[in-house]
Amino acid sequence: MLKKTLLSASVALATMMSTTAFAAENVDLLITDATVLTMNADKTVYQQGVVAVKGNKIVAVGEASLADDYKAKRVLDVDGDIVMPGLINTHTHASMTVFRSLGDDVPDRLHRYIFPLEKKLVSRDMVRIGAQLGNVEMLKGGVTTYADMYYFEDEVAKTVDQIGMRAVLGETVIKYPVADAANAEEGIQYALNFIEQYKDHPRITPAFAPHAPYTNTTEVLQKITKLSLEHDVPVMIHLAESDRENEVIAERSGGKSPVAYMADIGALTPNLVGAHVINVDDADIALLQKYDVGIAHNMSANIKSAKGVSPALKMFDDGLRIGLGTDGPMSGNTLSTIDEFNQVAKVHKLVNQDRAAMPPVKVIEMATIGAARALHMEDTIGSLEIGKLADIIVIDTQAPNMVPMYNPYSALVYSAYATNVKHAIVDGKVLMQNRDILTVDENSVREEALLFADKVRETVIASGEEVR
Amino acid sequence: MLKKTLLSASVALATMMSTTAFAAENVDLLITDATVLTMNADKTVYQQGVVAVKGNKIVAVGEASLADDYKAKRVLDVDGDIVMPGLINTHTHASMTVFRSLGDDVPDRLHRYIFPLEKKLVSRDMVRIGAQLGNVEMLKGGVTTYADMYYFEDEVAKTVDQIGMRAVLGETVIKYPVADAANAEEGIQYALNFIEQYKDHPRITPAFAPHAPYTNTTEVLQKITKLSLEHDVPVMIHLAESDRENEVIAERSGGKSPVAYMADIGALTPNLVGAHVINVDDADIALLQKYDVGIAHNMSANIKSAKGVSPALKMFDDGLRIGLGTDGPMSGNTLSTIDEFNQVAKVHKLVNQDRAAMPPVKVIEMATIGAARALHMEDTIGSLEIGKLADIIVIDTQAPNMVPMYNPYSALVYSAYATNVKHAIVDGKVLMQNRDILTVDENSVREEALLFADKVRETVIASGEEVR
């Protein structure tokens, strides 16, 4: 009996081996000789690893020997470079690249500088031109998915469709008159039309983006919550970000924090993604966890504006859905979350007075699977696992700043530049190869942005402000 | 009389014009169409500006029209890119690139991880291999001058000589046995030999580098001070950096701060450059100013190790000699001060709770003329002015992260990557052109470093520690 079993086993093994040798599975892309950071639950890392892609999905991830099982239309030997999930930027305003760095350190900049400028210059053209530039910058910096909040989001959607990236695009709702809506109600209608238009797009998720609790009424926030549940779309909002917000909401709610107020009015749901989330106490954090809210942590923008440091480490350690974001280019000011890594790792060490706090692996988790969780997309993106969508980036480890590499997480967090991203694959398609974007013409994107910048300069000067 | 004067004037003008047209001055290099940040006392910026270089010196800086006055062997039309003084890294340990990121977040890393590792691995070869890689990384990141503290500094000097950069190289003196000296006295002798060897080098300034007040005796610190004044060479030291230092020095001096102790023993002189300078109060700052001490501000390393934030903004505003440094690659972890810009600008805003604090122009000042002042080299480098040495870098403003550019200081501080540096000129020679280093072979530098890294891995594992 023992003998028979052994015999069967060896026959089975021989059959399997011959299958492997003579009937390798056809795939579209095979990445080989990679330092693969899977970002799966075990944080498995493969040296000389392999990733196989068929159509828009990952069909295999593992050791070098796995390569023998596949016959690929295209093989990408990356010679030891890091292969990891595409980065997910959980909060930005891509179109604002055309305003990047304007009036950077002006006090009360939002109300004194940004809002008036937007009133004069936001248009379909501006949104398209700015988003194009933002897309190029993000893709070159390894961002394959981003969450955007702005106006005319259907224009942003067209640019995302064209370049081939993935995005959650939130149409702004705010109580002031803005370029694409005279009031919040019109904003909601604009959003509904946009949602209808893009609800079936394979790479674009349309969403509501109420600007903030204090810039919308309770009724509007409640209506958006209801509609988001009906249409099953995300709601993105700036939350617990500023002193001004604290004051307005406290007055409105009889002393409540923004998060407690949002819970009270029924606006905390699993569809919600809150950006910033700086001014929260333990009770607020418990509420965010209870309602399964996603959180975008934008360290760089938050410290630049001296707003403070979000308790992101506690939220991460408590298991909340939290990922990294860059905020918009008037705040961040660049759009790759690689630029956040260093600051996230270091500033949390500083404020916790602990050099072991926020180790690199947590930062990379917040940039990938954590960010996917923040957007409730962890079933499809955020890690390199069988069955997930093939959003993959390759990081050059031969650049002098990346040599030598003892620990890939540490090298990424403390040493990498956004410009070390070499290739980017989204939905199974190579969108960037050796830093050349294959789907749009980077030069014409830049030229259009530079032309628009001249208009911005003229407008600022005409308004009596300085271009500074 | 009036008529005659006018006539004379017009004759003079005609003569001058003909001189300009027919006898333009010969120069070696003319940079044209530049956004020139001179970093002179007035912070003059020229749009479409010009810089002329003859031999190793700057002979003209100004408006576009100036170009007509010169006939150049070589013209570099930079098409609007930023042209600025080469960056000066006031504190690093370049050779430690071979250890970069090892044990990054280990508590008590210096004594538990770094010192034991150095004991086993520091050698002439290691110092040379690491410095070569550090040089390449710095030059590619726009650093044209750096201040180094390590062992076998004569090996570092050879690499600096070869690549063509400028450096202040400090030979370490420490009370423990180290690779190139059994004790502090031997370290002093090593330094004296090194100083003798390099005192006349046009680009290399040899120096003493007592490791820190708490790792040297009072007698050694006093002897070095005396010798530095006799030989007119700098003294570089880690100063007011750690709690441990505070404790040891307080015990040694009856409760004094490190800076007050150094003043007491006569070790504060204009030759001294203190790195870090975190734990200082107003009285300490007044002492540093009184004795005209230079200061290296290493934000990134200081917050990564959770040591705290130096009051660098106050020291800068008080007029102290202060410049940016990266610290070594086990601390920083990259070696271009461009990587510090963002963090310096933002973390000072955070700790001062003021979004207008530490504006970009101050950061760029601390990276250039401020850093030159910290090293007491402001008469020869740190700004683009007639008569100064031609250490010049060109920053690509067409990269997506740099588009558009409303304010060049802001773009540099909040948006630039070290990889946006396009060309680097030191002592009038183009050392890097379109990111290609012309004086050393980058590939062989990397290959040597990668081979040495294998040895480092083996050594760490053999010692029972993890490679992490």
Side-chain angles (χ1 to χ4, degrees):
Chain A
M1 187 68 179
L2 179 66
K3 208 168 177 182
K4 196 179 165 189
T5 309
L6 274 175
L7 185 66
S8 306
S10 75
V11 169
L13 187 65
T15 312
M16 208 166 75
M17 285 174 73
S18 94
T19 307
T20 306
F22 296 101
E25 188 183 338
N26 287 311
V27 292
D28 294 304
L29 174 67
L30 194 66
I31 304 174
T32 61
D33 197 9
T35 303
V36 180
L37 310 186
T38 63
M39 301 316 291
N40 65 12
D42 297 331
K43 310 281 168 298
T44 309
V45 176
Y46 297 104
Q47 305 292 346
Q48 289 95 42
V50 161
V51 180
V53 174
K54 194 170 185 171
N56 67 346
K57 293 215 171 127
I58 294 167
V59 293
V61 185
E63 303 288 353
S65 58
L66 204 66
D68 303 334
D69 300 350
Y70 297 95
K71 193 178 159 189
K73 280 187 195 152
R74 180 174 181 179
V75 175
L76 190 63
D77 180 331
V78 299
D79 196 16
D81 282 347
I82 293 172
V83 168
M84 61 183 290
L87 304 174
I88 300 165
N89 183 349
T90 60
H91 180 63
T92 191
H93 314 287
S95 299
M96 294 177 83
T97 45
V98 293
F99 301 140
R100 193 199 314 265
S101 267
L102 255 181
D104 257 328
D105 301 329
V106 176
D108 194 28
R109 183 173 177 236
L110 180 65
H111 294 267
R112 186 181 145 197
Y113 215 88
I114 301 184
F115 282 167
L117 198 64
E118 286 187 327
K119 201 165 176 182
K120 286 174 196 130
L121 286 170
V122 174
S123 65
R124 286 197 166 271
D125 250 18
M126 174 264 166
V127 168
R128 176 182 56 80
I129 291 167
Q132 283 176 171
L133 178 60
N135 292 344
V136 164
E137 185 190 346
M138 280 191 269
L139 190 58
K140 294 196 100 168
V143 173
T144 54
T145 297
Y146 71 95
D148 196 69
M149 292 172 65
Y150 212 59
Y151 309 100
F152 298 114
E153 281 291 334
D154 47 326
E155 290 294 332
V156 182
K158 285 183 217 161
T159 70
V160 170
D161 186 53
Q162 192 190 9
I163 197 166
M165 295 167 75
R166 204 178 298 285
V168 182
L169 303 179
E171 172 63 28
T172 293
V173 180
I174 191 164
K175 65 181 175 183
Y176 310 115
V178 289
D180 62 355
N183 51 47
E185 190 49 47
E186 281 192 29
I188 291 173
Q189 284 310 315
Y190 199 110
L192 283 171
N193 291 339
F194 172 54
I195 289 163
E196 185 57 30
Q197 198 184 346
Y198 277 91
K199 66 183 178 191
D200 297 323
H201 193 286
R203 289 178 284 100
I204 293 168
T205 307
F208 289 101
H211 173 267
Y214 75 110
T215 51
N216 279 293
T217 64
T218 300
E219 295 65 38
V220 164
L221 294 167
Q222 287 173 323
K223 183 171 180 181
I224 290 172
T225 304
K226 189 165 164 281
L227 287 168
S228 85
L229 295 170
E230 278 172 29
H231 293 265
D232 194 24
V233 291
V235 179
M236 302 193 285
I237 192 165
H238 297 102
L239 184 62
E241 181 187 4
S242 69
D243 293 344
R244 185 161 175 157
E245 177 188 359
N246 275 357
E247 286 157 23
V248 174
I249 295 300
E251 198 173 330
R252 184 191 293 181
S253 66
K256 290 207 165 61
S257 73
V259 168
Y261 157 77
M262 289 284 281
D264 257 25
I265 66 168
L268 294 190
T269 79
N271 287 23
L272 193 72
V273 183
H276 306 302
V277 190
I278 302 166
N279 301 318
V280 286
D281 60 16
D282 287 359
D284 292 326
I285 293 173
L287 284 172
L288 293 167
Q289 185 160 31
K290 178 180 168 190
Y291 292 104
D292 209 21
V293 173
I295 293 154
H297 176 39
N298 308 283
M299 174 66 88
S300 174
N302 295 346
I303 61 176
K304 175 163 172 254
S305 55
K307 282 177 185 144
V309 177
S310 160
L313 180 56
K314 177 183 163 47
M315 292 193 276
F316 179 87
D317 288 342
D318 284 358
L320 274 74
R321 295 175 171 273
I322 182 165
L324 302 184
T326 60
D327 204 354
M330 285 190 91
S331 309
N333 299 0
T334 52
L335 298 183
S336 168
T337 53
I338 292 182
D339 307 333
E340 299 287 316
F341 291 179
N342 226 321
Q343 299 175 70
V344 169
K346 290 174 185 172
V347 175
H348 286 292
K349 289 174 186 12
L350 176 70
V351 297
N352 287 283
Q353 296 181 49
D354 175 7
R355 77 172 297 150
M358 194 61 92
V361 67
K362 291 191 187 183
V363 178
I364 301 301
E365 196 165 346
M366 283 201 280
T368 55
I369 188 68
R373 292 185 70 232
L375 302 179
H376 283 85
M377 295 172 80
E378 71 271 23
D379 291 340
T380 51
I381 58 172
S383 60
L384 302 184
E385 294 182 87
I386 293 173
K388 281 208 167 177
L389 294 168
D391 292 3
I392 304 167
I393 58 172
V394 181
I395 315 276
D396 177 13
T397 58
Q398 302 291 300
N401 56 302
M402 296 292 279
V403 172
M405 185 172 74
Y406 296 108
N407 175 326
Y409 298 117
S410 206
L412 281 170
V413 168
Y414 295 126
S415 302
Y417 303 124
T419 51
N420 294 137
V421 179
K422 204 166 166 182
H423 315 301
I425 296 159
V426 181
D427 217 41
K429 285 196 186 123
V430 180
L431 302 188
M432 180 174 77
Q433 189 177 344
N434 292 315
R435 297 198 62 67
D436 278 338
I437 294 184
L438 308 177
T439 43
V440 301
D441 176 14
E442 192 182 329
N443 288 333
S444 56
V445 165
R446 181 178 54 240
E447 292 311 315
E448 265 197 293
L450 289 172
L451 273 178
F452 194 88
D454 290 338
K455 204 164 145 180
V456 174
R457 272 187 203 94
E458 287 161 21
T459 308
V460 173
I461 290 164
S463 77
E465 281 277 3
E466 271 177 271
V467 178
R468 59 173 171 178
Chain B
M1 189 67 181
L2 178 66
K3 208 170 176 180
K4 195 178 166 192
T5 309
L6 275 176
L7 185 69
S8 305
S10 74
V11 169
L13 187 64
T15 311
M16 207 166 75
M17 285 174 75
S18 95
T19 306
T20 306
F22 296 101
E25 187 182 339
N26 286 313
V27 292
D28 294 302
L29 175 67
L30 194 66
I31 304 174
T32 61
D33 198 9
T35 303
V36 180
L37 310 187
T38 63
M39 301 314 292
N40 65 13
D42 297 331
K43 310 280 168 296
T44 310
V45 175
Y46 296 105
Q47 305 291 345
Q48 289 96 43
V50 161
V51 180
V53 174
K54 193 169 185 172
N56 67 345
K57 293 215 170 127
I58 295 167
V59 293
V61 185
E63 304 288 354
S65 58
L66 204 66
D68 303 334
D69 299 351
Y70 297 95
K71 194 178 160 189
K73 277 188 197 154
R74 179 172 181 180
V75 176
L76 191 63
D77 181 329
V78 298
D79 196 18
D81 282 348
I82 293 172
V83 168
M84 61 184 289
L87 303 174
I88 299 165
N89 183 350
T90 60
H91 180 64
T92 192
H93 314 285
S95 299
M96 294 177 83
T97 45
V98 292
F99 301 141
R100 193 198 316 263
S101 268
L102 255 182
D104 257 328
D105 300 330
V106 176
D108 193 26
R109 184 172 176 237
L110 181 65
H111 293 268
R112 186 182 144 196
Y113 215 87
I114 301 184
F115 281 168
L117 198 64
E118 286 186 326
K119 200 165 177 182
K120 285 174 196 129
L121 286 169
V122 174
S123 65
R124 286 198 166 270
D125 249 18
M126 174 265 166
V127 168
R128 176 182 56 80
I129 292 167
Q132 283 177 172
L133 179 60
N135 292 344
V136 164
E137 186 190 348
M138 281 192 267
L139 189 58
K140 293 196 100 167
V143 173
T144 53
T145 297
Y146 70 95
D148 196 70
M149 291 172 66
Y150 212 58
Y151 308 100
F152 297 115
E153 282 289 335
D154 47 327
E155 290 294 331
V156 182
K158 285 183 216 161
T159 70
V160 170
D161 185 54
Q162 192 191 9
I163 197 166
M165 295 167 75
R166 204 178 298 286
V168 182
L169 304 179
E171 171 64 29
T172 293
V173 180
I174 191 164
K175 65 181 174 183
Y176 310 115
V178 288
D180 62 356
N183 52 45
E185 190 50 46
E186 281 192 28
I188 290 172
Q189 282 311 315
Y190 199 109
L192 283 171
N193 291 341
F194 172 53
I195 289 163
E196 185 56 31
Q197 199 184 346
Y198 276 90
K199 66 182 179 193
D200 297 323
H201 193 285
R203 290 179 283 100
I204 293 169
T205 306
F208 289 100
H211 173 267
Y214 76 110
T215 50
N216 279 292
T217 63
T218 300
E219 294 66 37
V220 164
L221 293 168
Q222 287 174 323
K223 182 170 181 181
I224 290 171
T225 305
K226 189 165 165 279
L227 288 168
S228 86
L229 295 170
E230 278 172 28
H231 293 265
D232 193 23
V233 292
V235 178
M236 303 192 286
I237 192 165
H238 297 102
L239 183 61
E241 181 187 5
S242 70
D243 293 345
R244 185 161 174 156
E245 177 188 358
N246 276 355
E247 288 157 22
V248 174
I249 295 300
E251 197 172 330
R252 185 190 294 182
S253 66
K256 292 208 165 62
S257 73
V259 168
Y261 156 75
M262 289 285 282
D264 257 24
I265 67 168
L268 294 190
T269 78
N271 286 22
L272 193 73
V273 182
H276 305 303
V277 190
I278 302 166
N279 301 319
V280 285
D281 60 17
D282 287 359
D284 292 326
I285 293 174
L287 283 173
L288 293 167
Q289 185 160 32
K290 177 180 167 190
Y291 291 104
D292 209 22
V293 172
I295 293 154
H297 175 39
N298 308 284
M299 174 66 86
S300 175
N302 296 345
I303 62 176
K304 175 163 171 256
S305 56
K307 283 178 186 145
V309 177
S310 159
L313 180 56
K314 177 182 163 49
M315 292 194 275
F316 179 87
D317 287 343
D318 284 358
L320 275 73
R321 297 175 169 272
I322 182 165
L324 302 185
T326 59
D327 204 351
M330 286 191 90
S331 309
N333 299 3
T334 52
L335 298 184
S336 168
T337 53
I338 292 182
D339 307 333
E340 300 286 316
F341 291 179
N342 226 320
Q343 299 175 69
V344 168
K346 290 174 183 170
V347 175
H348 285 294
K349 288 173 185 16
L350 177 70
V351 297
N352 286 284
Q353 296 181 49
D354 175 7
R355 76 171 296 149
M358 194 61 91
V361 67
K362 290 190 187 182
V363 178
I364 301 301
E365 198 167 343
M366 282 199 283
T368 55
I369 188 67
R373 290 184 71 232
L375 302 179
H376 283 86
M377 295 173 80
E378 71 271 23
D379 291 341
T380 51
I381 58 172
S383 60
L384 303 183
E385 294 182 87
I386 292 173
K388 281 208 168 178
L389 295 168
D391 292 4
I392 304 167
I393 58 172
V394 181
I395 315 277
D396 178 13
T397 57
Q398 301 291 299
N401 56 303
M402 296 292 281
V403 172
M405 185 172 74
Y406 296 109
N407 174 325
Y409 298 116
S410 206
L412 281 170
V413 168
Y414 295 126
S415 303
Y417 303 124
T419 51
N420 294 137
V421 179
K422 205 166 167 182
H423 314 302
I425 295 159
V426 180
D427 217 41
K429 284 196 187 123
V430 180
L431 301 189
M432 180 173 76
Q433 188 176 344
N434 292 315
R435 296 199 62 67
D436 278 336
I437 294 184
L438 307 177
T439 42
V440 301
D441 176 14
E442 192 181 329
N443 288 333
S444 55
V445 165
R446 181 177 54 241
E447 291 311 315
E448 263 196 294
L450 289 172
L451 273 178
F452 194 87
D454 289 337
K455 202 163 147 181
V456 173
R457 273 187 203 93
E458 288 161 21
T459 308
V460 172
I461 290 165
S463 77
E465 281 278 2
E466 270 178 272
V467 178
R468 57 174 173 177

